[in-house]
Amino acid sequence: MSSKVRIGIDTPDAWDAEWARWFERYSRGIPRLGMWLARAYATSGCDILELGAGSGRESRFLSPYARSVTCVDFSAGAMEALRASNPPPNLRAVTMDALNLEFPDRAFDLTFHKGFWSCFSDDVQVARLFSEQLRVTRRTMLALVHNGANAPFHAMFQAKAETDKLYQVRFFKPDELLELAHEGLAKAGVRGSVRLHGFGGVDWMHQGLGGRFPASVQGSLAALAYRLRPLRVAESLVLEVTPDPHGKG
C-alpha cells in the first residue's frame, strides 16, 4: 500500500468543527449504505457496530432491523450531536479511538464504516484499524473506502481538495484492499473469506430518485444494483471479510 497522500482533516478538534458544519445536512441525506446493508445482509436481531460514525445516519436507519447499534467516533462533538438528536432507544453513541476499541473480542455480529479508512495516510494505522475491527467482529466485517479504480471520481475529489479539506482523502485500489485483508487475516492467525463489492455511482439512488419508493423497496433495489456494480465505475469499494468461527488459520 502507498501512504503518499494528503489528508485534510485528521484530529478530533478538526472533525468537531466539520460536524458542527455538516451534521444536520448529513443526517437528512438518503442512507444508501444502510439500505444496502439491511437488505444484502441478515441484520435482524444483530448487534451492529459503526466505526467513524459521524452523524450516525446509516446506523439510525439500521436500528429497527437490529437488536442493538453502537456508533463510535473519536469526535466528541459528533457523538454529542448524535445523542442530542433523539436517536432510537437501541442506538448508543460512544466517543472512542478505533485504533484501540474498548470492546471484547467478537462483540458484534456486523461491523462497518463509510469512508473511515480514507481518512488515514499511514499504512500502519490502517492495518491496525483492520486488526481491531476484525477482533470485535463475530460474523461480517465491512469497510467502505473511496475507489481508486474510478479515475473520474478520484480526479473530481482532487480538484475539490484544492479549496476544501473535506475532500483531501485517500483512495484505495482493489488490489490494495485485498492485500490488506489477506495480510491482516494472516497476522491475526484467522481464517476467513474476502470479497470486494462496488458501491454507489451515478444512478437512481445517487440522484435521489430512490426517495419515490418505500425504504424496503429502495433497499432491495440497492442490494441488487450494488452487488452488480462494476468496480471501475463504483464510487466506493466495500471490503467484506467473513472470519471463520471454527478456528485459527
Side-chain angles (χ1 to χ4, degrees):
M1 292 188 294
S2 172
S3 58
K4 294 180 179 179
V5 61
R6 178 178 57 182
I7 299 298
I9 306 171
D10 59 0
T11 66
D13 288 345
W15 275 112
D16 285 350
E18 285 299 313
W19 281 118
R21 181 164 68 113
W22 291 105
F23 189 90
E24 291 299 327
R25 179 177 175 181
Y26 271 71
S27 297
R28 292 193 302 268
I30 298 173
R32 293 190 294 158
L33 181 60
M35 292 175 179
W36 179 55
L37 295 180
R39 298 299 162 182
Y41 298 88
T43 57
S44 178
C46 288
D47 296 310
I48 298 176
L49 171 67
E50 180 179 6
L51 299 161
S55 70
R57 180 181 68 197
E58 314 302 329
S59 286
R60 188 185 290 271
F61 179 85
L62 288 170
S63 61
Y65 303 95
R67 179 168 62 181
S68 71
V69 182
T70 301
C71 292
V72 164
D73 201 296
F74 78 161
S75 167
M79 295 298 91
E80 288 170 5
L82 180 53
R83 286 191 292 269
S85 67
N86 192 31
N90 66 336
L91 187 155
R92 62 172 176 156
V94 184
T95 304
M96 191 181 296
D97 182 0
L99 291 164
N100 296 284
L101 293 171
E102 300 168 23
F103 301 118
D105 295 354
R106 305 181 71 245
F108 300 95
D109 298 290
L110 173 69
T111 66
F112 76 96
H113 47 84
K114 185 177 181 181
F116 180 46
W117 288 352
S118 293
C119 298
F120 292 82
S121 62
D122 188 336
D123 291 345
V124 174
Q125 287 186 314
V126 175
R128 174 67 180 175
L129 291 169
F130 178 95
S131 175
E132 276 293 272
Q133 186 178 353
L134 177 67
R135 180 183 66 78
V136 301
T137 300
R138 189 156 56 237
R139 194 180 76 193
T140 306
M141 166 182 166
L142 299 169
L144 182 148
V145 298
H146 293 70
N147 183 11
N150 185 330
F153 189 58
H154 191 186
M156 182 268 286
F157 262 66
Q158 288 179 315
K160 288 180 179 260
E162 295 302 320
T163 56
D164 189 342
K165 288 185 177 181
L166 190 64
Y167 290 89
Q168 293 176 5
V169 297
R170 178 175 183 171
F171 277 65
F172 289 78
K173 293 288 185 66
D175 288 348
E176 287 183 278
L177 281 183
L178 294 174
E179 179 184 355
L180 170 67
H182 289 299
E183 288 185 354
L185 285 168
K187 185 175 181 179
V190 174
R191 289 194 296 265
S193 63
V194 177
R195 299 175 64 187
L196 276 184
H197 307 289
F199 180 85
V202 180
D203 54 18
W204 63 276
M205 289 288 285
H206 183 68
Q207 298 296 333
L209 301 178
R212 300 178 181 178
F213 301 98
S216 59
V217 176
Q218 293 182 50
S220 296
L221 292 173
L224 175 62
Y226 294 152
R227 286 286 189 182
L228 301 176
R229 173 75 58 218
L231 296 185
R232 68 184 181 277
V233 300
E235 290 175 355
S236 306
L237 301 173
V238 180
L239 174 67
E240 175 189 312
V241 179
T242 307
D244 185 343
H246 301 297
K248 297 287 185 177

